[in-house]
Amino acid sequence: MDATTSFLLEMEALVPWVTEKYDSTFNSLRSLQHRATAIAESTMSLPRIWWLDRQRFQTMLFEGSTIAFEDIRKLFVNIEADLVHTWENDVLCGLKLYCSYSDLADDLTNTAVGYSFINERRNPFIGSRHDLTLAILNDSLLRKRFIAWEGDDGQVVWNKLALRSWLYKYAQFEGLLLVRGQMLGGAPGRGTELTAMTYQNIATSTHRNCVAFGKYLAML
């Protein structure tokens, strides 16, 4: 008997003592924990929300802070304005780049690792992956900003500080997208679930969270 088999046998002998519904100290502690949780969940606490407007219900106190629905509407408008500004001026660097499309092709039954509507060959933007890089290199001001050194043979050394600054702005753009998707979603998930969502199939999950239906995107 090798060491691995011996270890597994020893562990199997100990499993009942850390399993519920088996007469042991662990089972007693778990039962008490379940009871305490049930008591805590069924105990009514003081309200987190108190309505200030009892006629139209447009203004409330939430944990002591005054919140009006009109302010929430303005928040959505401001987030969208920030999204557009960040995309056009920081991500695209002011370049007028566009990708026209009608309906997006997405095979929802495709479970291949790495598949997404983004790399679906039927979509027109599949050949536009390098458009931004090429546009930056063809613009004299942006080329000077992002290129630190250029050799006679055409080889270039990128400006790492400029690239990090661009990545920071791109991260802000993605954060705004996630916030907007979270706040406008019909059934928003937890923040930890939101940041773990995938746009393509991965080895441990062949069901991506971002899919396309015609002109529209859905977060699942």
Side-chain angles (χ1 to χ4, degrees):
M1 181 184 298
D2 57 21
T4 302
T5 304
S6 177
F7 176 77
L8 292 176
L9 290 175
E10 293 294 335
M11 287 295 298
E12 186 176 351
L14 295 174
V15 165
W17 301 103
V18 290
T19 305
E20 290 189 70
K21 309 302 181 183
Y22 186 86
D23 191 13
S24 66
T25 304
F26 177 82
N27 180 65
S28 300
L29 291 174
R30 289 291 289 173
S31 298
L32 291 173
Q33 185 180 31
H34 291 320
R35 184 176 181 183
T37 300
I39 294 173
E41 293 293 337
S42 61
T43 301
M44 183 177 294
S45 61
L46 292 175
R48 301 174 67 186
I49 295 175
W50 182 265
W51 290 100
L52 299 177
D53 177 9
R54 294 285 180 168
Q55 299 296 323
R56 299 174 61 245
F57 293 94
Q58 295 294 307
T59 308
M60 70 175 76
L61 284 176
F62 179 75
E63 296 182 351
S65 298
T66 303
I67 297 178
F69 279 111
E70 182 59 32
D71 294 334
I72 297 177
R73 297 187 187 100
K74 291 178 181 178
L75 175 64
F76 291 145
V77 173
N78 292 337
I79 290 177
E80 185 169 354
D82 289 343
L83 264 173
V84 174
H85 180 272
T86 304
W87 172 255
E88 293 181 344
N89 297 282
D90 298 323
V91 177
L92 294 183
C93 303
L95 297 168
K96 304 300 181 181
L97 298 177
Y98 303 95
C99 182
S100 301
Y101 65 91
S102 54
D103 291 337
L104 296 173
D106 191 357
D107 184 359
L108 303 182
T109 64
N110 192 326
T111 58
V113 175
Y115 178 79
S116 168
F117 71 91
I118 295 177
N119 53 33
E120 170 61 63
R121 295 185 178 278
R122 289 174 292 173
N123 289 322
F125 49 74
I126 192 67
S128 302
R129 292 183 174 182
H130 304 296
D131 286 0
L132 178 58
T133 304
L134 294 175
I136 289 175
L137 293 176
N138 290 327
D139 185 282
S140 58
L141 293 178
L142 291 176
R143 188 183 184 92
K144 184 178 180 180
R145 170 183 165 189
F146 284 97
I147 300 299
W149 178 84
E150 184 173 359
D152 296 333
D153 57 353
Q155 295 293 324
V156 299
V157 175
W158 292 90
N159 185 333
K160 293 183 179 180
L161 291 178
L163 293 178
R164 288 172 181 167
S165 176
W166 184 90
L167 285 173
Y168 175 76
K169 293 295 184 180
Y170 186 73
Q172 286 185 319
F173 174 74
E174 286 188 323
L176 289 172
L177 280 179
L178 288 175
V179 168
R180 187 166 175 79
Q182 174 81 338
M183 297 182 70
L184 295 180
R190 301 180 182 90
T192 51
E193 295 172 339
L194 188 68
T195 55
M197 298 177 76
T198 58
Y199 72 92
Q200 65 179 15
N201 298 335
I202 58 177
T204 55
S205 177
T206 55
H207 299 285
R208 55 199 177 279
N209 300 109
C210 185
V211 297
F213 296 95
K215 298 182 177 65
Y216 305 101
L217 297 181
M219 298 171 63
L220 306 177

